[in-house]
Amino acid sequence: KNQVEQSPQSLIILEGKNCTLQCNYTVSPFSNLRWYKQDTGRGPVSLTIMTFSENTKSNGRYTATLDADTKQSSLHITASQLSDSASYICVVTLSNSGYALNFGKGTSLLVTP
Amino acid sequence: DGGITQSPKYLFRKEGQNVTLSCEQNLNHDAMYWYRQDPGQGLRLIYYSQIVNDFQKGDIAEGYSVSREKKESFPLTVTSAQKNPTAFYLCASSPGPNNSPLHFGNGTRLTVT
């Protein structure tokens, strides 16, 4: 059973609009949560990493939030651009097991003109 | 520029043949990983290596083999014992476990017919 669930599975938005992607996890004990962007046919690229004590982290137009109590994270994209079209993957790391990463299935985002 | 190079980008093989996927990094990272990505699924760990001459099985190691003779290189062999080898294979590296971000290569798409 996948311990990291992402929603929505796919999303279409107009260029310039904002959007929010969700990640719920049941992984415990928790070490950190990462968001990656994966362009089609390419490897994922790290956007943010948040530890248990952090509740928000920004990277340009990308802002990730984390609520460790409810085990929820979100990735907010501001003023979307066509180049934001990609799959966004949420990854949760088990505490004391740094090599054991739990990957979500990703949200596929399409930004249209 | 530092990074991870996977080759080839596309690979075609007949069923029953072994095939080796190349992964080279010049980031001086200790840890290297192999993941498999299938449509609609999260990344799944095949093997990882923390240091030279040492590697550990991941969640789906059956039908695969690896070696880590040099820090820079972590080739993956897909053997004929792998029942469903057609997939997108991603190699990654990191300085170490826990809060280190993964750096991914751009993948090799293997098709076995």
Side-chain angles (χ1 to χ4, degrees):
Chain A
K1 186 178 188 303
N2 199 326
Q3 299 183 70
V4 180
E5 299 291 340
Q6 293 188 242
S7 63
Q9 184 176 349
S10 61
L11 183 62
I12 301 174
I13 62 173
L14 289 174
E15 185 179 11
K17 298 296 185 181
N18 303 336
C19 68
T20 300
L21 314 180
Q22 299 291 342
C23 175
N24 297 339
Y25 63 93
T26 58
V27 174
S28 182
F30 164 89
S31 175
N32 62 64
L33 186 146
R34 315 166 187 216
W35 283 95
Y36 285 85
K37 177 187 179 189
Q38 184 178 21
D39 293 319
T40 301
R42 311 273 295 202
V45 174
S46 178
L47 293 176
T48 62
I49 298 179
M50 290 182 291
T51 61
F52 180 85
S53 59
E54 298 174 298
N55 56 25
T56 187
K57 184 78 69 86
S58 290
N59 179 357
R61 296 181 295 102
Y62 300 101
T63 299
T65 63
L66 173 64
D67 186 333
D69 291 331
T70 62
K71 297 183 177 174
Q72 295 180 326
S73 176
S74 64
L75 180 69
H76 187 73
I77 304 175
T78 305
S80 62
Q81 300 176 358
L82 297 179
S83 60
D84 292 331
S85 295
S87 180
Y88 291 84
I89 303 171
C90 175
V91 185
V92 180
T93 306
L94 277 169
S95 183
N96 299 322
S97 181
Y99 297 100
L101 305 180
N102 294 270
F103 287 80
K105 295 180 180 181
T107 291
S108 179
L109 174 66
L110 177 62
V111 180
T112 64
Chain B
D1 287 338
I4 297 182
T5 301
Q6 289 188 243
S7 61
K9 187 164 181 62
Y10 299 96
L11 193 53
F12 298 88
R13 279 295 183 269
K14 293 291 187 183
E15 193 174 317
Q17 293 179 333
N18 293 352
V19 60
T20 297
L21 282 58
S22 171
C23 177
E24 303 280 332
Q25 56 104 354
N26 60 5
L27 299 166
N28 199 33
H29 286 171
D30 286 322
M32 295 188 74
Y33 313 76
W34 274 104
Y35 290 94
R36 171 180 172 140
Q37 188 173 36
D38 294 286
Q41 295 197 37
L43 272 69
R44 292 182 290 169
L45 181 64
I46 304 172
Y47 270 97
Y48 67 94
S49 168
Q50 301 177 46
I51 56 173
V52 174
N53 292 322
D54 182 62
F55 48 83
Q56 307 295 329
K57 291 182 178 180
D59 300 321
I60 56 166
E62 185 175 351
Y64 300 97
S65 65
V66 293
S67 62
R68 188 87 188 275
E69 298 177 1
K70 300 185 300 180
K71 188 175 186 178
E72 304 79 17
S73 179
F74 192 41
L76 173 74
T77 297
V78 184
T79 75
S80 56
Q82 168 50 234
K83 295 177 182 177
N84 186 20
T86 295
F88 188 52
Y89 290 88
L90 285 161
C91 179
S93 70
S94 68
N98 299 322
N99 295 331
S100 304
L102 290 177
H103 296 258
F104 285 90
N106 280 323
T108 291
R109 187 166 298 280
L110 173 64
T111 301
V112 177
T113 58

